[in-house]
Structure formats: structure tokens, C-alpha cells
Amino acid sequence: MSHAMDVEALTAFLARDFGQVAEDFRVEAVTAEGLRLRLKVQERHLRPGGTVSGPAMFGLADVAVYLAILSRIGPVALAVTTGCAMDFMRKPAAGRDLYAEVRLLKLGRSLAVADALIFSEGVTEPVARANMTYSIPPAR
Amino acid sequence: MSHAMDVEALTAFLARDFGQVAEDFRVEAVTAEGLRLRLKVQERHLRPGGTVSGPAMFGLADVAVYLAILSRIGPVALAVTTGCAMDFMRKPAAGRDLYAEVRLLKLGRSLAVADALIFSEGVTEPVARANMTYSIPPAR
Amino acid sequence: MSHAMDVEALTAFLARDFGQVAEDFRVEAVTAEGLRLRLKVQERHLRPGGTVSGPAMFGLADVAVYLAILSRIGPVALAVTTGCAMDFMRKPAAGRDLYAEVRLLKLGRSLAVADALIFSEGVTEPVARANMTYSIPPAR
Amino acid sequence: MSHAMDVEALTAFLARDFGQVAEDFRVEAVTAEGLRLRLKVQERHLRPGGTVSGPAMFGLADVAVYLAILSRIGPVALAVTTGCAMDFMRKPAAGRDLYAEVRLLKLGRSLAVADALIFSEGVTEPVARANMTYSIPPAR
């Protein structure tokens, strides 16, 4: 697939349209398969015990897939998540950022499907996996 | 199933062990099927456009199922989410709280399974559905 | 929701369009929430050890949700399954039929969402749960 | 991960313990990431219109992940599927076999997690994706 938005364009989009969460994330790379997004883990992402919370990991996967879609089709702000399934497999390493590695599996006219593996920085085995489906509005 | 913790005990548990998010939620009822939990929707739960964010709904389902499990087995703080699947079906109504209605489907020695429907207050049709699996630590 | 097809019409549809699997199933009832479908368990549905196989349970949930949709919108043969998530919670009771109890959660113009609980006949606790999403073709 | 069973051993296991479905499948390779399994598509796997049925694809993913686990831990006949989530993305190509490409993501003492992409032979884009969780019995 060709690319409609690069790291710089996606970063600007995130800052403008998702100001509230933009500072949590850093777009690391638009990849051949999808995109890599970092969650800059902070106090508010943690659960008691110091592990990254489920909602924070969900948010990472959700934003990562969203940006991966936009990297191919451009700034369609109205794409909406219709479904997700996640497996939480290992405890994230303490004090490290997480990143999501997205694979776009289908980018149809009205529906996109992708999966993401979530890693603690510097650790080989994934912390979680997610698959997400997005509905893409007709007028584009 | 018999109940090990009531609304008051669950509320106290939430305040003590999940201080960071406790103020977002209100335990409405321990029900025959599971539990009902309210998300007191605030600015930080919203996405651009004013809709409740996916991570906020994930968090609501996750905490609701967690508390439903505790209502039956008591304060096992170490139960961990191992999987979830959600369908996002309708846009939440603006300016209204959400609540989750949990059904406990299995409460085994090591694994619990539940589903939850998420509603906007005062609206009949559900906004989202979730199923969650939890691993329960052996020593209890 | 009003009903477009009753038990008799759904049974005839199944026999005509799904001849290969029609004999496995019996439409028990069109319900207020959705539909109840029986899987007449036979040798070919079993795994070693005598338990009903995963694919047979998947098939039961899939056909049950499909028929529940048709019961509301009429014989749209081209609706296709786009996603499913299942939890297998208990071993089905030996030598008993299974049935699926469907709840239609969303029936939109282009997308339907439902869940189903699967039971062994005569047993209170569910064997499995499934949620399914269907894409409905535009021309209807 | 090291390998406990190779293609030959897995094929023999399948024939002995899953006689009923063994002839549907061919173990193509034990891979670095998991395993590749072929579904030899036949009349009984098809839906009206000639497409491979959902249950047949579920069965392919389920058996593929099961064999991938056995390839690492040996013939543990009692591992059971506890959960799955699938996205059906494209119509399988008519008259072609399907194969599943498994990635083992976690192989713990009691729980295994894997995903699988399903392809029509000779077609680059995947037909479906699945993730499966398996419970592994304690005594091994």
C-alpha cells in the first residue's frame, strides 16, 4: 500500500485532533506492514502495583491502528472503532515505555481490520495482542 | 451464587486499592446476574466530538467485571484480565453517564468469564458489549 | 423489533438454502430477544472423548445468529459473518443436544451484532458464549 | 522455542487421535514462529455459493494452533480451546485449498496464546485472522 501520511503528518494530526492524548504517544515509524507507536508510560497509565493498566494498553492499540489506517488513506477523522479483541499475555516490564507494532490486514472501502502486538521496550516477548476493526465513513 | 461483598464493601475496596480511578465509578448494585457499575463521565473520558472514548468504555467494562467477581469471591486483589472482546455498536448519548450491566457466566477456580452490556443512562439500546476473562490466582 | 419470518419460514429457508447442514439444526423459537436454535448432536459433531467439537459449536452460534437476523429482516441470503469471539467455558454434557439462545443487540442498515449463549439441554450453566457480527448487503 | 514434534510426528498424532478430521488436513511445516497447516477443501467444507464455511475456517485455525502447541510441548491430548476471536476479511478463492500460518505468542505452564492468518493458496492477502487461547492441563 502507498502512504498518504508520514510520521510528521500523523504527529501533527494527532496534536491537532487528539490534543488530550497526543502527548502520551509518539509515532515511531510508518512501516511496510502498518505503523509503530510508542506509549510514553506515565503515572496515570499505571494500575496499583505499577503495571500498565488495561485501558492504557487498549488506548495504545486503538490509536496505533487508527493512525496506521490514516497513514494509508489520509486524515479521515471520522473512522470509528467497531470491534476489538485483546489477549493480555505478560506483565509489562516496570518503568518502561510500551510500543505497538501494527499490521494492516484489510483496508476496504468501508471496513479496516488490523492487529497489533504490544511490547515493553527492550523485551522480545509481547505483552499483549489486539485486533481492531474500524468502520470507514463512505464519503472519502 | 452467594455474595461475599456488597455495594458498600466494593466501594470501600475501590477507594482503597484503585484510588486513581475510584472517583470515576459508582457501584450501583450487586445483582442476581452480576453487578451494575456507573461511569461518571467527565471531560477526560471524551474523544473529539464529545463521545466517550473507547479506552474509557474498556475501563468501565473491565472494572465492572472485576468488581462482579469480587462480589462473589471477596477481595482478591490479584485477579488479572487475560482477554477481552468488545463490539462498539452505537454512539453514546452526549452528556450522560454510562453504566455497565455485568453477567457472570463462569466463576471457576482459576478462570472467570463474564459479559457486560454498556448503556447510556436513560437509553434502551446498548452502546457497546464486552466479554472479559480473568485469571484468578491459585491461593485463595 | 417486528418479525419478518417465523419458525416455519426459517425452517423452510434453512432446508432450501443450507441443505447440507439443515438437518443438523432445529429452529425452536423466535423470541423477543432473538431466536433459539437446537443442534441435534450426532457422531460427526464430536471430538475424541465424546465432547462436541469447537467447529460444531461455532457453526451452531453462526447459524443461530444468522437466522435471528433473518427473522427480523427477511430472507437476505447474502448476509456474511465478519467477526466472532467465543469463550468455551464448560464441557458439554455427553449425549445431549446443544442449543443457542441469541440476543440481537444491533440491527443496523449494514451491520448486525448479536451474542449467543450455548447450553447443553437440561443444564443451567452455559457451555459457551459467542458474539458475532454480520455485514448486511446494501440492496434490501 | 525448541521442537518436541516434527511434521511426521504431528501427522501420525493427528491420524491416531483425530481420525475423523485427520484426512481434511496436511501439516505443511513446523516453522520458527509456529506451524503451517493446510485444509484440503472438499464439498463438505463449502457453503451455498461455493465459499468455504465459517466452521471449516474455525476448525482450520483451531487444529493449526493445537498442533503448533504440540510441536513445542509434545502430545498433550488434553489441551482445550478456551477462547477464540476471528475476523473474516475476504471471500476465499473458489476451488483452492486454504492454509493457516500460526504464530505462537505465549506458551505458559497453563495457558497458550497464538494467532493465525488464513490464506487461499496462491493469494497474498489473507482471507481471515484468528486468535486462539488454549488451557494446558497441569500434569505434563
Side-chain angles (χ1 to χ4, degrees):
Chain A
M1 305 181 209
S2 65
H3 297 180
M5 297 176 82
D6 61 10
V7 168
E8 197 171 7
L10 292 165
T11 302
F13 175 88
L14 197 60
R16 196 183 61 233
D17 283 25
F18 288 82
Q20 208 172 7
V21 298
E23 62 184 16
D24 288 1
F25 297 111
R26 188 167 75 207
V27 185
E28 301 262 306
V30 176
T31 64
E33 289 199 311
L35 181 135
R36 186 163 58 248
L37 184 72
R38 174 187 296 262
L39 173 66
K40 293 179 274 184
V41 173
Q42 293 163 69
E43 188 63 26
R44 68 176 169 284
H45 301 123
L46 303 181
R47 272 266 190 266
T51 192
V52 180
S53 75
M57 284 194 267
F58 174 92
L60 170 59
D62 192 24
V63 173
V65 171
Y66 185 60
L67 293 177
I69 295 169
L70 297 199
S71 76
R72 267 58 176 187
I73 67 174
V76 177
L78 295 171
V80 294
T81 312
T82 52
C84 82
M86 294 188 74
D87 291 301
F88 300 96
M89 300 185 289
R90 296 177 182 88
K91 201 179 153 124
R96 301 211 189 177
D97 283 353
L98 293 182
Y99 63 92
E101 195 75 57
V102 175
R103 292 193 303 186
L104 285 167
L105 297 172
K106 177 181 177 169
L107 195 45
R109 277 167 312 173
S110 61
L111 187 71
V113 180
D115 63 16
L117 291 179
I118 296 179
F119 297 89
S120 284
E121 187 166 31
V123 180
T124 305
E125 304 208 298
V127 163
R129 58 149 297 286
N131 57 291
M132 319 284 298
T133 53
Y134 269 78
S135 173
I136 300 173
R140 57 170 174 120
Chain B
M1 304 180 207
S2 64
H3 296 180
M5 297 176 81
D6 60 11
V7 169
E8 196 171 9
L10 291 166
T11 302
F13 175 87
L14 197 59
R16 195 182 63 233
D17 283 25
F18 287 82
Q20 208 173 7
V21 299
E23 62 183 19
D24 288 0
F25 298 110
R26 187 168 76 208
V27 184
E28 301 262 306
V30 176
T31 64
E33 289 200 310
L35 181 135
R36 185 163 58 250
L37 184 72
R38 174 186 296 262
L39 173 66
K40 294 179 274 183
V41 173
Q42 293 163 69
E43 187 63 27
R44 67 176 170 284
H45 302 123
L46 304 181
R47 272 266 191 266
T51 192
V52 180
S53 75
M57 285 194 266
F58 175 92
L60 170 58
D62 193 23
V63 173
V65 171
Y66 185 61
L67 293 177
I69 295 169
L70 298 199
S71 75
R72 267 58 176 186
I73 67 173
V76 179
L78 294 170
V80 294
T81 312
T82 53
C84 82
M86 294 187 76
D87 291 301
F88 300 96
M89 300 185 287
R90 297 176 182 89
K91 200 179 151 124
R96 302 211 189 176
D97 283 354
L98 293 182
Y99 64 92
E101 195 74 56
V102 175
R103 290 193 303 185
L104 284 167
L105 297 172
K106 178 182 177 169
L107 194 48
R109 276 167 313 172
S110 62
L111 186 71
V113 181
D115 65 16
L117 290 179
I118 297 179
F119 296 89
S120 284
E121 186 166 31
V123 180
T124 305
E125 305 209 295
V127 163
R129 57 149 298 285
N131 56 292
M132 320 284 298
T133 53
Y134 269 79
S135 173
I136 300 173
R140 59 173 173 117
Chain C
M1 305 181 208
S2 64
H3 296 180
M5 297 177 81
D6 60 11
V7 169
E8 196 172 8
L10 291 165
T11 303
F13 176 87
L14 197 59
R16 196 183 61 232
D17 283 25
F18 287 83
Q20 210 172 5
V21 298
E23 63 184 17
D24 288 1
F25 298 111
R26 187 168 77 207
V27 185
E28 301 261 306
V30 176
T31 64
E33 289 201 310
L35 181 135
R36 185 163 59 249
L37 184 71
R38 175 185 296 263
L39 174 65
K40 295 180 272 183
V41 173
Q42 293 163 70
E43 187 63 26
R44 67 176 171 285
H45 302 122
L46 303 181
R47 273 265 191 264
T51 192
V52 179
S53 75
M57 284 194 267
F58 174 92
L60 170 59
D62 192 23
V63 173
V65 171
Y66 185 60
L67 293 177
I69 295 169
L70 298 199
S71 76
R72 268 58 177 186
I73 68 173
V76 178
L78 295 170
V80 294
T81 312
T82 52
C84 83
M86 294 187 75
D87 291 301
F88 301 96
M89 300 185 288
R90 297 175 182 89
K91 200 179 153 123
R96 301 210 188 177
D97 283 353
L98 293 182
Y99 62 93
E101 196 74 56
V102 176
R103 290 194 303 185
L104 284 167
L105 298 172
K106 178 182 177 168
L107 194 46
R109 277 167 312 173
S110 61
L111 186 71
V113 180
D115 63 16
L117 291 179
I118 296 178
F119 297 89
S120 285
E121 186 165 31
V123 180
T124 305
E125 304 210 297
V127 164
R129 57 149 299 285
N131 56 291
M132 320 283 298
T133 53
Y134 268 78
S135 172
I136 300 173
R140 58 172 174 116
Chain D
M1 304 181 209
S2 65
H3 297 180
M5 298 176 81
D6 61 11
V7 169
E8 197 171 8
L10 291 166
T11 303
F13 175 87
L14 197 59
R16 196 183 61 233
D17 283 24
F18 287 81
Q20 208 172 5
V21 298
E23 62 183 18
D24 288 0
F25 298 111
R26 187 167 78 208
V27 184
E28 301 261 308
V30 176
T31 64
E33 289 200 310
L35 180 135
R36 187 164 56 250
L37 184 71
R38 173 186 297 262
L39 173 66
K40 295 180 272 184
V41 173
Q42 294 163 68
E43 188 63 26
R44 68 176 170 284
H45 301 122
L46 304 181
R47 272 267 191 266
T51 192
V52 179
S53 75
M57 284 195 267
F58 175 92
L60 170 58
D62 192 24
V63 173
V65 170
Y66 185 60
L67 294 177
I69 295 169
L70 299 198
S71 75
R72 267 58 176 187
I73 67 173
V76 178
L78 295 170
V80 294
T81 312
T82 52
C84 83
M86 294 188 75
D87 291 302
F88 300 96
M89 300 185 288
R90 298 176 181 88
K91 201 180 151 124
R96 302 210 189 177
D97 283 353
L98 293 182
Y99 64 92
E101 196 74 58
V102 175
R103 291 193 303 185
L104 284 167
L105 297 172
K106 176 180 178 169
L107 195 46
R109 277 167 312 173
S110 61
L111 187 71
V113 181
D115 64 17
L117 291 178
I118 297 179
F119 296 88
S120 284
E121 186 166 32
V123 180
T124 305
E125 305 208 297
V127 163
R129 59 150 295 287
N131 56 290
M132 319 284 298
T133 53
Y134 269 78
S135 172
I136 300 172
R140 57 175 174 115

